[in-house]
Amino acid sequence: MNIKDQVQNMDALVSRGDIVNAVKTYFAANATTSDYSNTTTSSKEQMVEKMEGFLGAIASVNGITHHKSIVDGTNSASEFTFDFDMKDGSKIYWHEIIQREWNDQGLVIKETYFNAN
């Protein structure tokens, strides 16, 4: 499996705001996630639920910018900026690095988010 192609395809979905389908398509069933606020998930199903809830809370997408990605073996890092207005009136502006570990079937087994500000 070509991890570089998988990264490019997944990042393209994320760039279009199709984050739920990115998770459904590219996460292994037992994939884990963690972010810089110590929020974790322990399965693909949990991450899909988390992303569906998050996307449902967005009032408008001001921008999603994919800056760059690097791949080293079965590890990748992608830099994004996300700019959202939320339904509760708050604003989200995240500049982050998404580090992923991939299995030999080309699926994400671990995803970690780092604040790039």
Side-chain angles (χ1 to χ4, degrees):
M1 182 62 56
N2 186 328
I3 300 301
K4 187 174 182 177
D5 289 344
Q6 295 295 88
V7 170
Q8 289 175 342
N9 293 334
M10 185 174 188
D11 286 347
L13 286 174
V14 172
S15 295
R16 291 193 303 267
D18 199 0
I19 299 167
V20 171
N21 279 326
V23 172
K24 287 180 178 179
T25 303
Y26 294 101
F27 268 46
N30 62 342
T32 62
T33 68
S34 64
D35 65 27
Y36 41 90
S37 66
N38 294 320
T39 302
T40 62
T41 64
S42 58
S43 70
K44 175 180 180 175
E45 182 180 337
Q46 282 184 340
M47 187 59 169
V48 168
E49 289 175 11
K50 177 182 174 182
M51 290 297 98
E52 286 174 339
F54 176 72
L55 293 175
I58 296 173
S60 65
V61 176
N62 302 317
I64 299 173
T65 304
H66 175 233
H67 301 282
K68 61 186 165 263
S69 296
I70 58 171
V71 177
D72 182 18
T74 58
N75 293 288
S76 68
S78 300
E79 180 184 6
F80 282 92
T81 301
F82 300 93
D83 184 2
F84 305 123
D85 291 330
M86 305 305 286
K87 290 179 180 175
D88 68 1
S90 65
K91 292 186 68 60
I92 288 180
Y93 186 83
W94 290 328
H95 181 199
E96 62 187 18
I97 306 296
I98 304 170
Q99 180 186 1
R100 299 182 185 113
E101 294 179 30
W102 300 77
N103 66 19
D104 56 2
Q105 286 85 41
L107 298 173
V108 174
I109 55 173
K110 182 178 180 185
E111 187 170 79
T112 307
Y113 305 91
F114 297 93
N115 187 345
N117 287 333

